[in-house]
Amino acid sequence: MAGMLYLVPTPIGNLGDISIRCRETLEAADFIAAEDTRVSIKLLNHLGIKKSLVSYFEHNKAQKGNIIVERILAGETCALVSDAGSPAISDPGEDLVRQCAEAGITVCAIPGPCAVITALSISGQSTGRFCFEGFLSTAKKSRREHLDSLKDEKRTMIFYEAPHKLLATLESMAEVFGGDRPISLCRELTKLHEEVVRTTLADAIQKYTEQPPKGEFVLVVAGAPEKEAETITEAVIIARLQELIDSGLSKKDAIKQTSTELSLPKNEVYDISLKL
């Protein structure tokens, strides 16, 4: 009988955030797949748990994933953990989940610490709709392309960032979103020096130029503001109709095209066309 894969979230800073259910799952598992066994062994020692560990990270996931799946199919239960937070979120664990799903293995996710939700909840930004964008590329061109694709995104956007890349990321964001775009910079979440800076992109650049950033950041960026509806006057409609007719279109076709272009009812455009 096949075993199972459990996704076990680990503390993002405060060891006290490990839940009773997570602890019980780690104790009951036949083995633990860890992003960094050196990090995970510290947590297991803190919990007093001794368990077989298998390393599973970005550069060995192809080989180790097959081995883990084979062991689960043979009847063993595996607990997957990342260095911090929920495995499979911006994490190579997503590939193991996919492999298990394809092999018909049951995957169970245990709720727990997640930097995305923790940061969003204290950011002061809109939480009704949001999108998680993970880490931006270190390459300026790729980073800019990623941000350009979000230029008109109206949902709150969440990014992960390391301190040594923070300024470059903020500068790219300011170029695309504008320096007055609100941002909440959440640093060292759940740790002793937790800090939330609620400001604008321009002010954040100034702050971290003068004060080198320290610690891991979650950036919560406000979505694009709603654009004010453009007022379409009668003069605008007449001018467009005349332009189309002058270009060779019949009056009927000009009315149809103007109606489509300006998203107006055709009968409304027709009534105005009578004034030509």
Side-chain angles (χ1 to χ4, degrees):
M1 182 177 178
M4 285 179 62
L5 174 69
Y6 284 93
L7 307 182
V8 181
T10 54
I12 58 176
N14 190 321
L15 289 176
D17 290 337
I18 192 81
S19 72
I20 294 172
R21 187 181 175 200
C22 286
R23 180 173 188 157
E24 290 174 347
T25 303
L26 292 172
E27 288 175 334
D30 293 303
F31 69 102
I32 296 171
E35 184 178 5
D36 187 332
T37 55
R38 297 165 299 181
V39 173
S40 298
I41 197 69
K42 293 177 183 177
L43 176 63
L44 294 177
N45 288 339
H46 172 75
L47 299 173
I49 297 173
K50 291 185 178 180
K51 194 67 59 173
S52 170
L53 285 169
V54 174
S55 70
Y56 178 85
F57 56 95
E58 185 64 34
H59 300 296
N60 75 356
K61 64 183 181 182
Q63 174 198 1
K64 290 295 181 71
N66 292 330
I67 294 172
I68 291 169
V69 167
E70 287 174 5
R71 290 182 65 174
I72 296 174
L73 287 173
E76 293 186 83
T77 295
C78 173
L80 175 67
V81 297
S82 62
D83 291 348
S86 298
I89 304 299
S90 195
D91 173 89
E94 68 174 291
D95 293 294
L96 182 58
V97 171
R98 189 180 301 111
Q99 279 185 271
C100 286
E102 290 171 353
I105 294 169
T106 301
V107 180
C108 176
I110 300 176
C114 178
V116 176
I117 301 303
T118 303
L120 178 64
S121 64
I122 61 174
S123 67
Q125 305 285 3
S126 173
T127 62
R129 298 181 67 207
F130 61 92
C131 57
F132 174 55
E133 296 296 323
F135 286 98
L136 290 167
S137 173
T138 54
K140 187 172 182 178
K141 183 181 178 184
S142 298
R143 182 170 67 242
R144 180 62 186 258
E145 288 173 351
H146 187 160
L147 292 173
D148 279 337
S149 72
L150 298 169
K151 189 171 185 178
D152 297 319
E153 176 59 67
K154 292 180 173 57
R155 294 173 295 178
T156 300
M157 299 169 282
I158 307 170
F159 303 83
Y160 285 160
E161 197 51 278
H164 65 280
K165 289 165 41 188
L166 180 67
L167 263 178
T169 291
L170 292 176
E171 288 167 355
S172 293
M173 285 180 171
E175 289 173 8
V176 176
F177 302 143
D180 59 347
R181 182 71 68 90
I183 181 173
S184 300
L185 301 99
C186 306
R187 184 177 73 88
E188 295 292 87
L189 291 171
T190 77
K191 299 177 184 177
L192 181 62
H193 300 292
E194 176 177 297
E195 178 185 38
V196 182
V197 176
R198 302 177 183 90
T199 184
T200 62
L201 285 168
D203 288 345
I205 291 169
Q206 182 178 345
K207 174 181 173 64
Y208 291 108
T209 298
E210 299 169 355
Q211 175 189 319
K214 295 179 181 179
E216 299 299 315
F217 284 79
V218 182
L219 309 178
V220 186
V221 183
E226 292 287 344
K227 294 180 180 176
E228 290 186 16
E230 184 182 351
T231 302
I232 302 173
T233 64
E234 186 175 285
V236 169
I237 297 170
I238 290 175
R240 184 55 180 153
L241 283 168
Q242 191 64 62
E243 185 181 5
L244 291 172
I245 291 170
D246 290 346
S247 71
L249 285 185
S250 67
K251 189 173 182 180
K252 180 180 178 181
D253 287 340
I255 291 169
K256 183 178 179 182
Q257 185 166 327
T258 300
S259 170
T260 301
E261 288 179 0
L262 302 181
S263 300
L264 294 171
K266 195 183 296 183
N267 61 339
E268 182 180 330
V269 178
Y270 172 78
D271 290 342
I272 292 172
S273 75
L274 297 176
K275 299 180 182 181
L276 278 173

